[in-house]
Amino acid sequence: MKKIISICTAILVSTIAFAQQGKEFYNRYAGKNGVDAVYISPEMFALIKSIPDINVEGKDVDLGKVIKTLDGMYILDIENEKIAGELSADISRMTSEKRFELLMETVEGDGTSMRIYIVRKQDIVTDLLMHVREKGSASVISISATMPFEDLKKLLAGAID
Amino acid sequence: METEDKAKVPADLESRISELIDTMDAAERLAVRKKPHCSPVCISAVAAAILVASLLGIRLRETNVPADTFSDPELAYSAAEKALYDITGMAGKAMDRAGKAEKAIVRTKSIFD
C-alpha cells in the first residue's frame, strides 16, 4: 500500500510541477490591475509558419527566420510595484532551477536589472526568458522555441538578416 | 543378494536425511514468504490511481491554457517581432555597457602600467 501511495504522490507532484511553469505565471498575473499580458499559442505560431512571408515595414532587421523557430510566447508587462515584486520573486525562484542558464545580466545602481536566461538541449535553445526589473515595474518575455544557438547569438548581437 | 546384505548403512543417515528435509522445508517457506503479493485487487488499485492522476494532469493542463491574445496571425507576428526587438535592444545595451567597462579597464590599466 505504501508503494501505491508513493507512486501516486510522485505522479501528482510531477503533474503539479509541470503546471507551475510559464503558463502558471501568465495565468496568475494576466488580468490584474496594471498588468498588460500577451500570449501567442503554439497553434498561432504554426499558422504564422504556414504563411509564406509577412513583412512588417519600417524595420531594418528581418526577424522572420527566428520567428519561424518559435513555438509559444508569453509577455507580461507590469506597472505596479507590489505585483512587479511578486512576479520578480517568482521568476527568481523558477530560474534558480538547474536547467536555466543565465546568458546575460546587467544590474544598475538604482536597482534596475535585466537578465536573459535560456534552456538548451545541446545546440538548440528550447526556452528564452528575459526579465527586466525597474523601480515600480517589471516585464517578462518568455519564449519556447526550437532555435539553433547560433541564431540566438546573432539575434542578441543584432546581426540577423 | 549376498552383497546387499553386506552393504553398510551409515549410523547417522537417518538424522542427516531428517536434517536435509528440515532445511528444504525451511527454504521453501522462505521462498513462499518472499514471493510478491500481487492480487487482482492490488493491480486494479494501482491502475485506478494512475488513471486518476493522469486525468487530473490533463484537467490541470486544460484549465491552465490561456486564450490567444491575437486571432490574426499578422498581428501575432508583429507582437512576436516587437518582443524580439525588445530582447535585441536590451542585449545591445548590455553589450554596450560591457564594452564601456572594458574600455575603462583598459584605460585604468594603461594608467597603472
Side-chain angles (χ1 to χ4, degrees):
Chain A
M1 192 51 123
K2 254 186 195 173
K3 226 175 191 178
I4 300 167
I5 294 168
S6 322
I7 291 167
C8 293
T9 312
I11 293 169
L12 273 174
V13 165
S14 61
T15 308
I16 291 164
F18 167 81
Q20 287 293 322
Q21 297 302 315
K23 279 177 203 167
E24 191 77 359
F25 285 135
Y26 184 87
N27 286 342
R28 195 180 304 161
Y29 295 101
K32 284 190 177 177
N33 195 21
V35 179
D36 284 336
V38 170
Y39 170 62
I40 303 173
S41 67
E43 291 76 19
M44 184 56 81
F45 274 111
L47 211 58
I48 288 172
K49 284 170 199 169
S50 70
I51 296 169
D53 273 313
I54 300 175
N55 291 312
V56 178
E57 287 177 13
K59 308 281 184 187
D60 51 354
V61 180
D62 175 26
L63 295 173
K65 191 184 162 199
V66 176
I67 290 173
K68 287 188 176 181
T69 66
L70 308 187
D71 299 322
M73 183 180 279
Y74 300 94
I75 303 171
L76 287 169
D77 207 355
I78 300 173
E79 294 289 337
N80 176 312
E81 177 55 33
K82 189 176 170 282
I83 302 174
E86 285 171 20
L87 173 78
S88 299
D90 280 343
I91 294 291
S92 300
R93 255 195 304 277
M94 186 177 83
T95 51
S96 65
E97 285 174 23
K98 218 175 178 182
R99 64 196 186 100
F100 283 93
E101 211 177 303
L102 179 64
L103 198 67
M104 203 174 267
E105 177 183 53
T106 57
V107 180
E108 291 172 29
D110 61 353
T112 303
S113 65
M114 184 281 294
R115 290 181 180 88
I116 296 177
Y117 299 90
I118 58 163
V119 176
R120 63 172 160 166
K121 282 180 187 153
Q122 288 155 353
D123 282 337
I124 299 294
V125 177
T126 58
D127 292 272
L128 170 67
L129 189 139
M130 184 179 81
H131 174 220
V132 179
R133 177 78 165 107
E134 289 171 349
K135 199 179 174 194
S137 70
S139 63
V140 171
I141 298 175
S142 173
I143 296 169
S144 46
T146 319
M147 188 193 302
F149 188 61
E150 275 304 310
D151 284 1
L152 176 66
K153 280 203 287 189
K154 283 182 190 168
L155 172 76
L156 296 180
I160 287 282
D161 48 39
Chain B
M1 215 36 196
E2 207 172 300
T3 48
E4 269 178 28
D5 288 340
K6 281 180 183 175
K8 282 185 180 176
V9 177
D12 62 340
L13 181 67
E14 199 185 326
S15 66
R16 275 163 68 187
I17 288 172
S18 165
E19 207 174 293
L20 182 69
I21 290 167
D22 284 349
T23 315
M24 283 170 74
D25 189 38
E28 199 178 346
R29 259 186 279 135
L30 206 65
V32 166
R33 210 182 304 155
K34 277 187 178 175
K35 204 176 162 188
H37 180 72
C38 212
S39 67
V41 176
C42 178
I43 293 167
S44 327
V46 172
I50 291 170
L51 186 71
V52 167
S54 27
L55 283 175
L56 193 65
I58 292 165
R59 182 89 186 124
L60 268 174
R61 284 180 68 178
E62 278 172 357
T63 51
N64 277 329
V65 175
D68 246 307
T69 305
F70 306 103
S71 52
D72 181 350
E74 288 201 24
L75 292 176
Y77 184 95
S78 299
E81 195 175 47
K82 189 191 168 298
L84 290 180
Y85 271 112
D86 286 349
I87 293 173
T88 310
M90 284 292 181
K93 274 187 195 171
M95 282 177 186
D96 202 33
R97 202 170 285 270
K100 278 179 188 163
E102 201 179 344
K103 273 182 199 164
I105 290 165
V106 171
R107 244 196 332 268
T108 314
K109 263 189 87 179
S110 67
I111 292 166
F112 280 99
D113 286 345

